[in-house]
Amino acid sequence: MKVAPKHAEMKQFPIKNNELHIGGVALSRLAARVGQTPFYAYDRKLITRRIGELRERLPQAIHLHYAIKANPMPAVVQHLAGLTDGLDVASLGEMRVALDTGVDPRTISFAGPGKNDTELRAAVAAGIIINLESEGELERLTSIGQALGIRPVVSVRVNPDFELKTSGMKMGGGPKPFGVDAERVPDMLKRIGALDLDWQGFHIFSGSQNLRSEAIVEAQSKTFELASRLLDHAPCPIRWLNIGGGFGIPYFPGETPLDIQPIADNLEILLEHYRPQLPDAEIVIELGRYLVGEAGVYVCEVIDRKESRGELFLVTNGGLHHHLAASGNFGQVIRKNYPVALAYPYQSEDAETVNVVGPLCTPLDILASKVELPKTQAGSLICIYQSGAYGYTASPHQFLGHSKPIEILV
Ligand SMILES: *Cc1c(COP(=O)(O)O)cnc(C)c1O
């Protein structure tokens, strides 16, 4: 009996000649080309396709931004720069990657609590939109603008007075380090009006990794409603409204892909309803993992197979130091397996239940716990799907002094 990996319902990468193909290249060949395992491979066609499908559904007026925190590999960001309408950055390092793509600085925005003076100075000099996160930041930025003789381009990041329900990561509502509490925004806008700043609009981001379109629809409706309330206090007509993102991707058993259509339909209604209030405003959606997460895999190699008291362990050269999220240590409360597959060879004669672990001396170094995979041995390649976002740069590479993975865009 041929056994295919049970866990891998992932269909984005074709299987040919008993191995996974990425960007049209067989995985074993790709590994030879990279020159090492482990590596991350991102498929550019899948990224292009995802954005094409999204644009087909979303209203034309929606500007699509890429939040490069999800995957800041320069080649990936360059690819996305050509497909999206702007880039969102959260540090000076990300800002440099974004500027290197050559996009118009006015389409880059910079959010993040705790922007230091060096970052603010660089952002003013670059002419990108700075999302103000506090009153203190506003004052520092104003001084920096005066010192440089450049008028800072700003928007106010609003900590909304509602939450994004059932979100994997809530980033708005209640007390938060992100943004200015909605009820304090009117005073801040008054202050902005008194200063020499080029005010563009609002940034309202309520959360991340949401798979329920109803929740996103509700949050977006409340976001427009909040923006429209705050507009009464605006120092000049609004030109920019970033309504956040939060589109999730399925990682774990039982999760289903986000249905975009209800979101698109609701946006159409919102745009029509609020257009009189926002005649010249660009409406921006910022997405990270939804654009790149499913286009990437993490590939590692089996080093050893061993049995311990009735359980089987596949020990690989990859682990939490390369892929913290797959190990369950990047914000998960209860550890669940990322979709994992034996990728080369893809099938074998038998299946077995295994633990896929890494080489680190810590019990946290688990890539997959008790999964059924085709029976395999040292030298075969294991792949972890849904690894195009929050993989490489969200992992503690230094931990235990192993070598780093390589990243490629195929
Ligand atoms: C992290 C972040 C994003 C991207 O989140 P995803 O879940 O990857 O889409 C977008 N906007 C802001 C402000 C963020 O902090």
Side-chain angles (χ1 to χ4, degrees):
M1 183 187 65
K2 290 271 191 227
V3 182
K6 207 175 177 181
H7 199 99
E9 310 99 343
M10 302 286 131
K11 298 270 192 284
Q12 63 267 54
F13 302 102
I15 314 297
K16 283 182 264 176
N17 304 322
N18 203 26
E19 64 180 305
L20 199 76
H21 282 57
I22 297 169
V25 185
L27 196 66
S28 58
R29 182 166 177 169
L30 210 53
R33 176 184 131 180
V34 173
Q36 74 161 61
T37 57
F39 61 91
Y40 280 92
Y42 315 119
D43 186 328
R44 73 175 77 232
K45 279 214 184 79
L46 288 182
I47 296 174
T48 307
R49 192 167 83 196
R50 168 53 58 95
I51 291 172
E53 287 167 358
L54 193 56
R55 288 223 195 250
E56 240 168 61
R57 289 176 186 256
L58 293 179
Q60 276 213 324
I62 295 290
H63 288 241
L64 192 60
H65 277 214
Y66 176 51
I68 79 178
K69 173 180 78 188
N71 187 331
M73 183 197 185
V76 168
V77 177
Q78 186 74 56
H79 184 59
L80 279 145
L83 299 169
T84 57
D85 305 303
L87 301 170
D88 296 329
V89 303
S91 70
L92 180 50
E94 288 189 357
M95 186 183 109
R96 290 185 187 126
V97 173
L99 288 169
D100 280 346
T101 63
V103 300
D104 179 352
R106 284 287 180 134
T107 66
I108 300 176
S109 69
F110 186 177
K115 298 182 204 73
N116 64 42
D117 286 359
T118 305
E119 289 176 314
L120 291 175
R121 199 174 300 119
V124 173
I128 67 174
I129 300 180
I130 299 161
N131 289 308
L132 292 167
E133 308 258 351
S134 75
E135 290 89 351
E137 193 174 77
L138 167 61
E139 299 304 326
R140 281 193 293 131
L141 181 70
T142 304
S143 311
I144 286 167
Q146 280 163 356
L148 284 172
I150 303 169
R151 208 162 167 240
V153 187
V154 301
S155 123
V156 175
R157 180 167 181 185
V158 183
N159 176 22
D161 41 15
F162 58 86
E163 288 191 345
L164 175 54
K165 287 179 190 149
T166 66
S167 182
M169 229 178 267
K170 288 193 174 64
M171 287 183 65
K176 289 282 182 302
F178 314 109
V180 178
D181 295 345
E183 57 277 18
R184 282 160 67 160
V185 171
D187 279 347
M188 184 138 165
L189 290 172
K190 207 160 149 196
R191 179 78 183 132
I192 289 174
L195 298 168
D196 193 23
L197 298 167
D198 181 1
W199 180 77
Q200 299 284 308
F202 300 113
H203 175 217
I204 307 176
F205 179 76
S206 41
S208 197
Q209 181 48 22
N210 205 307
L211 289 170
R212 285 186 51 229
S213 46
E214 317 89 81
I216 293 177
V217 161
E218 187 186 321
Q220 289 182 339
S221 299
K222 287 181 172 168
T223 296
F224 271 90
E225 194 266 326
L226 173 60
S228 110
R229 261 189 285 142
L230 294 174
L231 270 183
D232 294 341
H233 308 272
C236 60
I238 183 167
R239 271 163 288 175
W240 197 77
L241 176 62
N242 181 331
I243 61 169
F247 295 14
I249 61 171
Y251 289 101
F252 306 119
E255 290 185 340
T256 47
L258 178 66
D259 183 5
I260 297 292
Q261 199 56 52
I263 299 171
D265 294 344
N266 184 56
L267 279 173
E268 203 82 68
I269 295 167
L270 291 172
L271 285 174
E272 191 173 324
H273 182 79
Y274 288 101
R275 195 39 92 190
Q277 266 188 288
L278 311 155
D280 302 313
E282 270 179 24
I283 310 297
V284 173
I285 286 190
E286 54 177 2
L287 300 173
R289 76 186 77 217
Y290 189 78
L291 303 186
V292 293
E294 296 181 74
V297 290
Y298 172 67
V299 181
C300 59
E301 187 170 334
V302 178
I303 301 296
D304 196 8
R305 59 176 276 138
K306 60 186 283 187
E307 222 181 291
S308 169
R309 304 207 165 114
E311 285 196 27
L312 201 58
F313 291 84
L314 294 179
V315 186
T316 70
N317 60 358
L320 81 76
H321 54 317
H322 296 166
H323 201 330
L324 190 65
S327 77
N329 294 295
F330 189 60
Q332 286 102 310
V333 180
I334 299 163
R335 193 192 172 285
K336 294 180 200 153
N337 291 328
Y338 263 50
V340 59
L342 187 64
Y344 169 74
Y346 190 74
Q347 295 184 326
S348 68
E349 296 302 320
D350 267 317
E352 57 191 10
T353 299
V354 297
N355 298 294
V356 182
V357 300
L360 307 188
C361 279
T362 159
L364 301 176
D365 195 12
I366 299 166
L367 289 176
S369 165
K370 297 198 173 75
V371 287
E372 190 171 297
L373 290 183
K375 192 169 177 183
T376 194
Q377 61 220 340
S380 59
L381 301 178
I382 297 226
C383 100
I384 298 176
Y385 294 101
Q386 311 299 76
S387 297
Y390 307 107
Y392 184 89
T393 56
S395 302
H397 298 154
Q398 305 266 37
F399 190 38
L400 270 127
H402 290 275
S403 57
K404 286 186 181 190
I406 300 283
E407 290 183 289
I408 55 166
L409 175 63
V410 193

